[in-house]
Amino acid sequence: MNSEINFPTGDGRILATSNRIDGQGLKEMIEAGLTWLCTNQQLVNSLNVFPVPDGDTGTNMLLTMQAAYNEVSKSGESNVGKMAHAIAQGALMGARGNSGVILSQIWRGFARGLDNQDFMDAALLVRALAEARTTAYKGVVRPVEGTILTVTKDIAVAAEQKLAEDPDVMAVIETIVQEADASVKRTPDLLPILKQAGVVDSGGKGLFIIWEGILRHLKGQSLETATAVVQPLAMMQMDQTMESIEPGQDYEVIVDFRPSNPLNLEVFYSDLTEMGTSIQVGEGDGMYRMHIHVPTENRYLPIDYTMNLGTITKVYIENLIDQMEQKEANHQKQLNLNTVEPGQVAVVAVSPGFGLSQIFASLGAAAIVQGGQTMNPSTEEILHSFENLPTDKIIILPNNKNIFLAAKSAKEATVKQVEVLPCKTIPQGLSAMLRLDPFGDLDEIFEEMKE
């Protein structure tokens, strides 16, 4: 079998043909995987029950892939090895949560397998997958089977076996996708909590979707329409899930740091296991990212410990218990949103939590879109929030600078009269709500709220 793989650039040239993929071809593969993951993000989120059922695996993987692509989006690098390392560095810097950190290490290993290579053929692709597997497993203190790690391992083995039969890039990629799908379906047999919840592993599913997006791109198929219907967060009660996860995961702590001396990973892991669980470590170009779940009393220990090893550049802490309680509470509560009549001005507010959503509702918001920092809603979600309202006069409050463009895209995708208020924070949005007059003129009210 000898197929031709076409990667069109902006000027229409073909960068890769038959078993030779250069740096620009790899960039397009990453973009395709990112696009397909974005399309199916909520599906991945809905499967998330391990290690904590917080429903953000798809989001974390998407943010990681977006950071990887952003690192190379304007690069004209043709060397596939250099492009791969840039992708891996971007993924590491944008990694969030368990799934994001592991995904960044998959790309780190993938890049190592392509060191100093101008082009990637089928044999180098297989070597890169093997390095990806090794690096991903090394980044986890207690590797758990039935997760994205298992899928990474299975596709590396399957790709190697396929290479012995057919040294064609397209044939190997097709095998990767087929085995990733099969491996994901086997995850409930390896991880009891998945079987209890009636779902497959979310991280593994995300990895499958990334490779499926790459294959769909190669075959010229659409990357814009999701192939699956999104289900609720989990197919079991939240408290049942909580009983099954490892205790002591009250806080998620992520620390980016640059060690002063060579890092002894064995000692590093050993010390971290005394503080918490769900430990991952990412590495790239002298920078490390440490991820850990800890009980409340230990929430600052990883930071203090890491500070003694070198220079800390960034710290992220999230209360996982509160996050899950809020999600459960949101399922039980209903917002008292303002009822609008035809011709009135309706406000759509983006809000990160139920408490703030209540405040926006009490001030007259007609629709609420859940979102905020690190959980940016899509254009489609914003569009759907007001499309069925009985008025054509809409004002959107993004309340975050990262959501503004999606709100503008929603404005451009509708025939309704829509204005997007350039508010970048929740306080700005709340202040604007105080000037709302649903019976006034749209332009005048928008200017009033803008002030």
Side-chain angles (χ1 to χ4, degrees), residues 119-424:
F119 296 94
M120 177 176 69
D121 58 10
L124 281 173
L125 172 57
V126 169
R127 187 173 84 179
L129 289 172
E131 287 289 339
R133 169 195 58 202
T134 301
T135 304
Y137 269 87
K138 284 183 177 179
V140 181
V141 176
R142 298 190 187 97
V144 176
E145 298 301 336
T147 64
I148 186 174
L149 293 173
T150 305
V151 179
T152 303
K153 176 179 63 178
D154 289 348
I155 64 176
V157 172
E160 184 177 12
Q161 293 173 346
K162 184 63 178 179
L163 178 66
E165 304 172 3
D166 189 351
D168 180 82
V169 173
M170 179 66 92
V172 172
I173 292 177
E174 287 178 336
T175 297
I176 290 170
V177 175
Q178 292 168 3
E179 180 57 31
D181 187 27
S183 180
V184 169
K185 291 175 180 177
R186 293 193 295 266
T187 56
D189 296 327
L190 301 173
L191 199 54
I193 188 174
L194 299 179
K195 181 165 287 188
Q196 178 185 349
V199 297
V200 295
D201 179 65
S202 55
K205 185 71 170 182
L207 185 62
F208 158 72
I209 287 171
I210 290 169
W211 278 105
E212 185 183 45
I214 291 171
L215 181 60
R216 289 176 68 88
H217 172 71
L218 299 182
K219 291 185 173 182
Q221 298 174 342
S222 171
L223 298 174
E224 303 300 327
T225 304
T227 57
V229 177
V230 177
Q231 299 298 323
L233 175 62
M235 301 177 185
M236 63 178 179
Q237 296 298 317
M238 186 72 73
D239 56 353
Q240 292 176 336
T241 310
M242 285 296 296
E243 291 174 0
S244 301
I245 67 173
E246 190 172 351
Q249 300 189 72
D250 301 335
Y251 281 82
E252 177 183 58
V253 181
I254 300 175
V255 180
D256 289 353
F257 70 101
R258 187 178 296 106
S260 302
N261 300 301
L263 189 64
N264 186 324
L265 286 175
E266 185 175 349
V267 174
F268 188 53
Y269 285 149
S270 178
D271 291 344
L272 290 176
T273 57
E274 299 297 319
M275 306 175 200
T277 186
S278 192
I279 301 167
Q280 281 87 44
V281 178
E283 180 271 337
D285 296 343
M287 180 72 72
Y288 286 81
R289 169 161 292 186
M290 182 275 296
H291 171 282
I292 188 172
H293 290 175
V294 295
T296 301
E297 62 271 19
N298 290 354
R299 62 190 181 279
Y300 300 123
L301 288 182
I303 302 171
D304 293 338
Y305 171 71
T306 308
M307 188 172 293
N308 292 325
L309 299 177
T311 302
I312 290 179
T313 60
K314 188 183 296 183
V315 173
Y316 172 82
I317 303 179
E318 184 169 9
N319 187 325
L320 297 176
I321 298 300
D322 179 70
Q323 183 186 82
M324 288 181 287
E325 289 177 350
Q326 288 300 317
K327 286 181 179 293
E328 177 65 13
N330 290 351
H331 292 160
Q332 305 300 325
K333 299 178 181 178
Q334 297 294 323
L335 293 170
N336 186 21
L337 295 169
N338 185 48
T339 301
V340 295
E341 301 294 335
Q344 292 183 355
V345 176
V347 171
V348 175
V350 179
S351 170
F354 185 78
L356 289 170
S357 297
Q358 282 183 311
I359 297 175
F360 276 111
S362 70
L363 293 175
I368 300 291
V369 178
Q370 185 177 4
Q373 193 66 25
T374 77
M375 51 178 184
N376 305 156
S378 66
T379 297
E380 184 178 29
E381 289 172 320
I382 298 174
L383 184 64
H384 285 172
S385 70
F386 64 80
E387 278 289 76
N388 292 327
L389 293 178
T391 181
D392 65 347
K393 299 177 181 179
I394 310 294
I395 295 178
I396 302 175
L397 277 58
N399 298 325
N400 187 289
K401 64 180 181 180
N402 295 330
I403 301 174
F404 185 75
L405 290 179
K408 291 279 287 185
S409 297
K411 172 184 176 179
E412 296 168 358
T414 181
V415 296
K416 292 191 175 187
Q417 303 176 64
V418 177
E419 297 291 349
V420 180
L421 204 67
C423 47
K424 299 179 180 179

Side-chain angles (χ1 to χ4, degrees), residues 46-108:
S46 72
L47 301 171
N48 184 196
V49 299
F50 179 85
V52 174
D54 48 10
D56 63 358
T57 291
T59 302
N60 288 337
M61 295 184 75
L62 182 63
L63 289 170
T64 303
M65 287 294 291
Q66 184 67 64
Y69 180 71
N70 288 346
E71 185 74 15
V72 299
S73 62
K74 297 180 181 179
S75 171
E77 179 61 61
S78 61
N79 182 287
V80 75
K82 292 180 180 179
M83 179 63 73
H85 277 287
I87 289 167
Q89 182 65 15
L92 176 65
M93 291 298 99
R96 291 293 300 274
N98 284 305
S99 52
V101 173
I102 295 174
L103 181 60
S104 75
Q105 291 310 287
I106 290 173
W107 291 122
R108 173 62 54 193

